[in-house]
Amino acid sequence: VQKDINKLSNHSIVCGYGRNGKQAVATLKSHKKDVVVIENKNKLIQEIELNEDVFIVKGDATDDSVLLKAGIKKAGNLITTLPSDASNLYVVLSARQLNQSCTLISRASDESSYHKLKIAGADNVIMPNKLGGAHMATLVVTPDIIEFIDRISVDGASSSSIEELVIEKLPKEYANKSILDLDLRNKTGCTVIGFKKPDNEYVVNPDPNTKLLPNSKLIIIGNPEQIQKLNELF
């Protein structure tokens, strides 16, 4: 197993196989990503072996040697979902030192941990408890909008799906062209709903004349058939 992990590159590491960890693994697998799970509880390791087709590293994710076994130096991203904010903070600090370019996503329970994790090097910090309460409240304030958003999927399982299109992966003839030049609506039926600039700023409903610059991305929505056509063309 370790030999196979050593061959991986740009893979995903998930620290902890609790409720959030399981959801992360399921989503990553639906996108056909190589996944390495770090877990130290024998019961959960047995569950992973029975139910998941992923690589497993047994150990404490706060230990640098365990992160190295999981291939942190060549990983594309790491998700830490440990129950302790202090443990997640330690994982983020260690992972950032071992891999400067890896995308780090951490779970947090307390508001005070959010900024600490960001300072430590986390690219994104998710607070599941806060999101849950906010989501329930918005069902009261704007129920139809939230129900519509809930029906949108990122794994193609629902009637509406969202896809990310990396500009560098487009055919060379589209370099420095515009969204209008792509003509996605006519070619695939998909609609561009967002644009991520090279400086990581997001633009909602971008102007059709927006230039397709290097290190930028398009956020696209469509039904499964339209998304499949998009993937076939680009």
Side-chain angles (χ1 to χ4, degrees), residues 6 9 12 19 23 31 68 70 87 89 96 99 111 119-120 123-124 132 141 144 149 193 215 218-219 232:
N6 292 341
S9 179
S12 301
R19 180 170 56 88
Q23 293 171 345
H31 284 265
L68 289 169
S87 296
L89 179 63
R96 181 54 73 217
N99 187 336
E111 289 274 1
I119 292 170
D123 295 284
N124 300 97
V141 182
D144 293 328
I149 293 172
I193 60 171
N215 300 315
L218 291 174
I219 311 300
E232 289 171 356

Side-chain angles (χ1 to χ4, degrees), residues 165-175 182 212 218 234:
L165 190 62
V166 179
I167 301 306
E168 282 84 353
K169 293 184 179 180
L170 291 173
K172 291 183 179 179
E173 60 263 30
Y174 292 109
L182 271 178
L212 303 175
L218 291 174
F234 301 102

Side-chain angles (χ1 to χ4, degrees), residues 98-200:
L98 294 167
N99 187 336
Q100 291 293 320
S101 61
C102 183
T103 299
L104 304 179
I105 302 167
S106 176
R107 174 188 182 276
S109 299
D110 299 325
E111 289 274 1
S112 60
S113 300
Y114 180 92
H115 295 292
K116 292 176 183 176
L117 283 159
K118 293 290 283 187
I119 292 170
D123 295 284
N124 300 97
V125 179
I126 307 301
M127 301 184 68
N129 295 337
K130 184 177 179 182
L131 283 174
H135 186 81
M136 288 186 282
T138 53
L139 285 170
V140 175
V141 182
T142 54
D144 293 328
I145 294 174
I146 299 304
E147 184 175 354
F148 174 76
I149 293 172
D150 282 345
R151 290 174 183 269
I152 297 174
S153 169
V154 294
D155 59 11
S158 72
S159 59
S160 298
S161 303
I162 291 180
E163 189 78 10
E164 180 183 87
L165 190 62
V166 179
I167 301 306
E168 282 84 353
K169 293 184 179 180
L170 291 173
K172 291 183 179 179
E173 60 263 30
Y174 292 109
N176 293 312
K177 294 291 183 67
S178 68
I179 293 175
L180 186 63
D181 293 325
L182 271 178
D183 197 21
L184 288 180
R185 185 69 180 172
N186 288 325
K187 290 178 180 177
T188 68
C190 294
T191 301
V192 176
I193 60 171
F195 181 71
K196 185 180 181 181
K197 295 181 179 180
D199 62 0
N200 293 326

